[in-house]
Amino acid sequence: MSPPSPRHRLLDRLGAFGSLVCAAHCALLPLLIATLPSLGVSGWFDDGFELAFVVFATCLGLFTLVWGYRRHRAVRALSLLVPGLLVLWIGVLYGPLHESVLPHAVAMTFGGTLVGLAHLSNLRLNHGHVHDATCSH
């Protein structure tokens, strides 16, 4: 197999950056919740935005990490991605958690961090993968 293309490396970096920004956003949201209406930007962070971001993170994460797995055959990145996405989806779809500000922020921060770490792990696995006689593909 050929080395990862610049486009795939860019997608992994975008996924890692976006996931970690999402985690920071979720961690800081309880502090900003009181100021958003006065700043006039509360519409940017409504439920539709959050759902769209989780859908985007899911699509990007699955695409880049499944592609990476096919190259390096290591489940380390996927073992971070799957629980991270699960926590994000529960945080968005499970009503009692979604309506509780602090637990929701903790869940989304944790899930976003796992997804970001999965992308970073995938980057490292792809970068360190060398094709030689011990390669299984």
Side-chain angles (χ1 to χ4, degrees):
M1 255 185 208
S2 62
S5 70
R7 183 178 70 193
H8 283 102
R9 284 192 301 265
L10 176 66
L11 287 175
D12 252 336
R13 286 187 174 107
L14 174 69
F17 177 75
S19 297
L20 295 176
V21 167
C22 174
H25 159 77
C26 293
L28 296 174
L29 188 62
L31 302 174
L32 297 175
I33 230 156
T35 60
L36 285 178
S38 64
L39 296 173
V41 294
S42 59
W44 291 3
F45 304 105
D46 65 354
D47 293 340
F49 173 82
E50 186 175 52
L51 180 60
F53 193 84
V54 171
V55 168
F56 176 73
T58 301
C59 293
L60 181 64
L62 289 174
F63 174 76
T64 57
L65 271 75
V66 168
W67 179 84
Y69 174 78
R70 291 178 61 191
R71 283 193 83 249
H72 51 67
R73 300 283 189 223
V75 295
R76 188 175 334 143
L78 286 171
S79 69
L80 291 168
L81 178 73
V82 172
L85 290 177
L86 183 64
V87 170
L88 289 177
W89 279 105
I90 290 170
V92 168
L93 298 177
Y94 182 61
L97 179 61
H98 188 72
E99 301 302 322
S100 302
V101 175
L102 187 58
H104 177 73
V106 169
M108 299 303 281
T109 301
F110 179 67
T113 300
L114 285 177
V115 171
L117 291 173
H119 281 287
L120 292 173
S121 176
N122 194 50
L123 275 170
R124 178 163 286 216
L125 288 166
N126 278 325
H127 181 68
H129 183 75
V130 177
H131 295 279
D132 61 10
T134 63
C135 196
S136 65
H137 55 97

